């Protein structure tokens, strides 16, 4: 009867990887390093997705790594600027607010 089983169609090599909408599913405040690892993995799969960099920036901020968080914010903003897709206004606004916080932090650090 094995001959009657249907074969699963092969996935073509050029099939786009589905976008990961967030790396913060099942968020665990008690294991922020795990959350960063999840974001790292998601970004490795889809590096041009600004919202993943935003998510990782949030976790890095919670870990106290403001400098790396600000790098992710800047990268996410540049990805949005280069994108040919419609930009989520809330994502854009959130990144602008975080960028302002980054600028303020840098200004305060230089005046100390």
């Amino acid at each position: 009867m094995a001959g009657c089983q249907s074969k699963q169609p092969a996935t073509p090599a050029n099939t786009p990887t589905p976008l990961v909408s967030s790396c913060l599913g099942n968020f665990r405040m008690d294991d922020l390093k795990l959350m960063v690892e999840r974001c790292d993995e998601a970004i490795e799969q889809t590096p041009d997705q600004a919202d993943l960099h935003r998510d990782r920036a949030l976790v890095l901020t919670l870990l106290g790594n403001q400098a790396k968080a600000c790098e992710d914010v800047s990268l996410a903003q540049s990805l949005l600027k280069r994108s040919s897709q419609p930009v989520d206004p809330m994502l854009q606004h959130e990144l602008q607010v975080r960028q302002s916080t980054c600028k303020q932090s840098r200004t305060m650090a230089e005046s100390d």
Side-chain angles (χ1 to χ4, degrees):
M1 290 289 227
C4 294
Q5 294 178 354
S6 63
K7 289 185 177 180
Q8 294 294 326
T11 303
N14 61 355
T15 300
T17 304
L19 295 178
V20 178
S21 62
S22 176
C23 55
L24 300 180
N26 299 317
F27 183 79
R28 294 185 51 183
M29 186 69 178
D30 63 333
D31 198 352
L32 294 175
K33 289 183 181 185
L34 172 65
M35 301 313 303
V36 170
E37 289 172 11
R38 287 182 184 173
C39 290
D40 290 345
E41 290 171 8
I43 290 169
E44 189 175 308
Q45 292 174 14
T46 53
D48 294 337
Q49 206 167 326
D51 48 352
L52 295 176
H53 292 278
R54 176 220 35 214
D55 291 351
R56 184 170 65 183
L58 170 65
V59 179
L60 289 168
T61 299
L62 293 171
L63 281 168
N65 195 339
Q66 188 69 18
K68 285 193 73 82
C70 290
E71 288 175 20
D72 265 339
V73 169
S74 294
L75 181 54
Q77 285 186 309
S78 68
L79 290 170
L80 288 182
K81 287 178 187 172
R82 293 191 316 241
S83 176
S84 61
Q85 301 297 316
V87 175
D88 176 5
M90 287 304 295
L91 173 61
Q92 191 167 25
H93 175 71
E94 184 177 351
L95 289 170
Q96 288 171 344
V97 169
R98 289 187 185 189
Q99 185 65 39
S100 295
T101 301
C102 291
K103 287 178 183 177
Q104 183 179 16
S105 295
R106 284 192 301 269
T107 301
M108 290 173 62
E110 290 173 8
S111 66
D112 286 343

